[in-house]
Amino acid sequence: MMRKLSLLFAGALMGASAMSLVYGAPSSTANAAGSETYKQLAIFGDIFERVRAQYVTPPDDKSLVENAINGMLTSLDPHSSYMNAEEAQDMRVQTKGEFGGLGIEVTMENDLVKVITPIDDTPAAKAGVLAGDYIAKIDGDEVRGLTLNDAVEKMRGPVNTPIKLTILRQGADKPIELTVVRDIIKVKAVKFRVENDIGYMKITSFTEKTYDDLENAIDTIKKQVPNDKLKGYVLDLRLNPGGLLDQAVSVSDAFLDRGEIVSTRGRDPKDVTRFDARPGDDIGGKPLIVLVNGGSASASEIVAGALQDLRRATVVGTQSFGKGSVQTIIPLGENGALRLTTALYYTPSGKSIQGKGITPDIKVDQPLPPELQGRDLTRGESDLKGHIKGADEGATGSGSAAYVPPEPKDDLQLIYAEQLLRGEKTDPAFPPNPDKAVLNQ
């Protein structure tokens, strides 16, 4: 059974997004509204007043307005939305990649908060919280009856403030009382390890810290494996929902020596922004394989598309999500923020992946475990109601199964990538030839 997870140190990150941040007013102004538009707004005002006056129970004015705004925005596409002040703050926390908290990954089970794992060297780990613990009370208040998000919100808070947890632990004859002092939790956007002679790096999200975390991963791998022994790297972008556009560009640039990484094109045909790679390949030209699946979206697709088109990496896995739009976050002061789709992005070959996705150079399917068989785990932009139809979107649409086994020994896509790097398998797509890069003319 699939469980809904929440990261107490990260939260649910932004959805599938490539985002840019704008401070102040948008650079262009809208056309003046015509008389028909004002007539429609008058109708809205009339309906709003009738609902307030005659609905069977007194409605909340703030909720009515927020829902009306979101109704307008979601009618445009699935990724435009209004965030109230609290939601906008959560978004800023998530993109920053650090905040005051405990440092535990949790889920909801049997109406209690279950600890999946405490993160090393965080307040929760130091206080003695263990994987498998159930949190029954938070500061004396029962967890039963709370949603997972409510419970997570109660555990977050200002740095250096204490929180009391009542824990139920298997084998303990009575509840355990722990006091944990909140601290700054820095979310690791990049997880990495050495697989004998291969460097493995998994980017979980594109926050403000992603590029720095990637550089640290590369440096550490280089120190652990001599250059003459290192066969290459695997960059795992599976289940990565996206994040900040500038971080996607920086991550791509880490592996590229030249070429256009991505371009964005807005409403005005003249509104084209191009991002180019700078000289210098941080892994010294070592072979690189990128893993993608139906959970690879937006910012992660920018990276995969750039490395694929420029023939710097071989992409292995299944069709990616297919979200080729960019959302601009426009702050509205104390009223929150507007997330608005303002551009589409294009890979170096000039192709839009909107509603299509990244097609891997080598398709490797990952079988589902018995408990998930029969379920539709396919994820794709083309399945979203009201999505912007892509220029290259076909009848087959985008996306594929979004599943990665928890154990590397069961991960056929990762195993295949490692076999390619070690020469145990061969394929015409590996290694790619940079001289045959596919560029937009």
Side-chain angles (χ1 to χ4, degrees):
M1 178 178 180
M2 294 195 70
R3 296 173 298 181
K4 180 181 178 183
L5 298 180
S6 174
L7 301 183
L8 184 54
F9 57 92
L13 182 80
M14 295 162 312
S17 298
M19 300 194 305
S20 60
L21 303 180
V22 171
Y23 296 94
S27 58
S28 60
T29 57
N31 294 330
S35 59
E36 184 62 28
T37 301
Y38 286 113
K39 185 184 296 184
Q40 296 298 319
L41 287 173
I43 294 173
F44 170 78
D46 183 36
I47 292 174
F48 178 72
E49 288 302 329
R50 288 180 183 273
V51 170
R52 292 182 69 236
Q54 298 177 18
Y55 188 67
V56 62
T57 57
D60 179 72
D61 289 358
K62 183 179 179 182
S63 295
L64 284 177
V65 173
E66 287 186 6
N67 289 329
I69 294 172
N70 264 318
M72 173 179 65
L73 292 169
T74 55
S75 71
L76 299 174
D77 71 89
H79 307 293
S80 294
S81 63
Y82 166 72
M83 296 175 284
N84 60 31
E86 183 178 340
E87 292 165 340
Q89 176 60 24
D90 285 345
M91 184 275 300
R92 286 190 288 270
V93 165
Q94 291 164 17
T95 56
K96 187 176 181 182
E98 65 178 42
F99 61 86
L102 307 183
I104 52 177
E105 183 179 341
V106 296
T107 186
M108 207 74 175
E109 190 173 292
N110 299 325
D111 294 326
L112 298 176
V113 173
K114 182 179 181 181
V115 178
I116 302 301
T117 182
I119 311 305
D120 291 340
D121 200 32
T122 60
K126 293 175 182 177
V129 177
L130 302 179
D133 283 349
Y134 288 89
I135 300 174
K137 293 182 181 180
I138 302 172
D139 280 335
D141 296 331
E142 292 282 350
V143 168
R144 292 184 190 276
L146 297 179
T147 66
L148 181 60
N149 286 338
D150 288 340
V152 167
E153 195 60 36
K154 287 176 72 72
M155 287 186 280
R156 288 178 178 172
V159 174
N160 294 326
T161 59
I163 181 172
K164 190 165 114 176
L165 303 179
T166 302
I167 288 174
L168 306 180
R169 180 175 296 167
Q170 187 173 6
D173 56 2
K174 61 180 181 179
I176 299 169
E177 303 283 350
L178 293 178
T179 298
V180 186
V181 179
R182 298 178 179 93
D183 200 354
I184 290 292
I185 306 301
K186 296 183 178 181
V187 182
K188 286 293 183 184
V190 181
K191 299 177 181 179
F192 67 94
R193 63 178 183 268
V194 170
E195 297 278 359
N196 297 318
D197 51 3
I198 292 173
Y200 170 84
M201 302 172 294
K202 180 177 179 61
I203 300 181
T204 58
S205 58
F206 287 88
T207 70
E208 292 177 11
K209 299 183 177 299
T210 299
Y211 176 71
D212 290 340
D213 284 356
L214 178 68
E215 289 293 287
N216 176 64
I218 292 172
D219 290 344
T220 304
I221 290 170
K222 285 180 177 179
K223 291 175 183 176
Q224 292 182 4
V225 186
N227 188 60
D228 61 334
K229 302 290 186 184
L230 188 61
K231 299 293 187 184
Y233 294 81
V234 174
L235 182 66
D236 193 347
L237 299 177
R238 296 172 299 176
L239 304 183
N240 184 317
L244 298 176
L245 174 61
D246 67 324
Q247 290 292 310
V249 170
S250 295
V251 166
S252 302
D253 195 8
F255 304 105
L256 294 169
D257 201 40
R258 65 184 186 275
E260 180 181 295
I261 294 171
V262 67
S263 63
T264 64
R265 307 177 194 179
R267 177 172 169 175
D268 187 334
K270 298 179 182 178
D271 185 12
V272 178
T273 304
R274 302 184 186 279
F275 300 87
D276 296 319
R278 298 163 298 179
D281 177 348
D282 293 353
I283 61 173
K286 286 285 186 181
L288 177 66
I289 291 178
V290 176
L291 299 180
V292 299
N293 66 5
S296 306
S298 205
S300 56
E301 293 174 294
I302 289 175
V303 176
L307 298 178
Q308 182 184 57
D309 280 0
L310 296 175
R311 297 295 188 260
R312 177 60 187 92
T314 298
V315 178
V316 173
T318 56
Q319 198 80 6
S320 66
F321 187 86
K323 180 183 174 294
S325 61
V326 178
Q327 282 66 50
T328 298
I329 306 300
I330 305 170
L332 302 174
E334 62 183 16
N335 295 317
L338 171 64
R339 186 205 309 259
L340 190 65
T341 299
T342 54
L344 297 177
Y345 69 77
Y346 295 79
T347 67
S349 64
K351 292 182 179 179
S352 167
I353 61 94
Q354 174 66 17
K356 184 177 186 297
I358 299 292
T359 301
D361 299 304
I362 304 173
K363 184 181 180 182
V364 178
D365 289 311
Q366 177 64 54
L368 297 177
E371 64 269 21
L372 295 180
Q373 289 178 7
R375 294 190 179 194
D376 183 10
L377 299 183
T378 300
R379 299 291 181 270
E381 174 80 6
S382 59
D383 296 325
L384 298 181
K385 182 180 179 181
H387 77 281
I388 298 172
K389 188 170 179 62
D392 298 314
E393 181 177 342
T396 56
S398 63
S400 60
Y403 172 73
V404 177
E407 296 295 332
K409 65 180 178 61
D410 302 320
D411 191 339
L412 299 189
Q413 294 167 338
L414 174 59
I415 291 171
Y416 194 97
E418 293 178 345
Q419 289 174 332
L420 282 173
L421 289 170
R422 294 188 177 118
E424 298 167 1
K425 283 188 180 295
T426 59
D427 191 281
F430 180 81
N433 184 352
D435 293 333
K436 296 184 178 180
V438 184
L439 303 177
N440 185 25
Q441 300 300 322

